[in-house]
Structure formats: structure tokens, C-alpha cells
């Protein structure tokens, strides 16, 4: 059905930047709401940012002004530009597709982001 493959995570110093990518296949990408979530050890999964088919965006308060979500429908790719990273941003970042075609959510395998102080 829907497959989501994330990339772009890594180790970065506080204040640095990373750009995450998520390539989707099997969905009608352009009409789906897409999102980035994160999960740190011992914590619940939380929404980082989402973007609708109309390019309406929503951000967690903790990342507003630092992270930017975007999408390229021609490439079936979702992005998350992360600037001014903080140690508290350390987590596994997961791509989510709220599939209109199949009526359910799909998740990628996640990519680790580690921010050192």
C-alpha cells in the first residue's frame, strides 16, 4: 500500500541545521495531509508539523520559528527544515501520511536526530 521512507537525520551540534526528507509511494500524495512526528526515549510521540493538500501548515509551539515543513507533490516528497536545533529536539522523527486513498494513517520507519550541547 503506502510506503514512506525518511532520510536526513544525524548528529548535529546545538544551533545547527538538518533537513529531513520523506519519499512516499503507493498513495495519492498530492491530496493527503502529511506530517512529521517525533518520539524521544520515554516520551509520547508528538506532532512536530503538518501540511495539508492546500499547503496549510501547523506547528508545535516548541518548533515554531525554527522548523519549516514543505512538500513537493511532483516528487512525492515531504521535507522538514530544522534550524537552530536544541538538545531537546533529539528524537526519532517519523513521517506520517493520512491517506485519503486508503482511509488510514501510515508511518515511516523513522530517522534519528541527535543534537549535542
Amino acid at each position: 500500500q503506502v510506503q514512506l521512507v525518511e532520510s536526513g537525520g544525524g548528529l548535529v551540534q546545538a544551533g545547527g541545521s538538518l533537513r529531513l526528507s520523506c519519499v512516499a509511494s503507493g498513495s495519492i500524495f498530492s491530496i493527503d495531509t502529511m506530517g512529521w512526528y517525533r518520539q524521544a526515549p520515554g516520551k509520547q510521540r508528538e506532532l512536530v508539523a503538518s501540511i495539508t493538500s492546500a499547503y496549510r501548515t501547523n506547528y508545535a509551539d516548541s518548533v515554531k520559528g525554527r522548523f519549516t515543513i514543505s512538500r513537493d507533490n511532483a516528487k512525492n516528497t515531504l521535507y522538514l527544515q530544522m534550524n537552530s536545533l536544541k538538545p531537546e529536539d533529539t528524537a526519532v522523527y517519523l513521517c506520517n501520511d493520512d491517506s485519503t486513498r486508503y482511509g488510514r494513517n501510515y508511518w515511516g520507519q523513522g530517522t534519528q536526530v541527535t543534537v549535542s550541547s
Side-chain angles (χ1 to χ4, degrees):
Q1 293 185 332
V2 176
Q3 289 190 322
L4 304 170
V5 180
E6 302 102 330
S7 62
L11 173 63
V12 64
Q13 288 189 332
S17 298
L18 284 174
R19 189 194 195 201
L20 306 184
S21 299
C22 170
V23 179
S25 60
S27 67
I28 308 174
F29 182 83
S30 62
I31 66 173
D32 290 349
T33 292
M34 302 293 298
W36 287 101
Y37 288 71
R38 66 186 181 188
Q39 188 161 19
K43 294 187 177 181
Q44 286 190 327
R45 188 173 295 183
E46 62 174 355
L47 174 68
V48 176
S50 63
I51 184 168
T52 69
S53 59
Y55 295 88
R56 183 177 301 167
T57 59
N58 179 51
Y59 294 93
D61 288 342
S62 59
V63 307
K64 282 180 181 176
R66 300 188 298 122
F67 291 10
T68 302
I69 190 170
S70 61
R71 65 193 299 162
D72 185 337
N73 290 341
K75 296 181 179 180
N76 281 10
T77 302
L78 178 72
Y79 301 101
L80 185 68
Q81 178 66 43
M82 305 186 294
N83 299 329
S84 302
L85 282 161
K86 304 175 181 180
E88 51 263 44
D89 294 319
T90 296
V92 174
Y93 283 71
L94 302 109
C95 177
N96 176 267
D97 183 342
D98 186 6
S99 175
T100 302
R101 182 176 189 179
Y102 295 109
R104 52 158 288 188
N105 278 283
Y106 290 88
W107 296 91
Q109 81 289 349
T111 185
Q112 177 70 46
V113 171
T114 303
V115 184
S116 63
S117 56

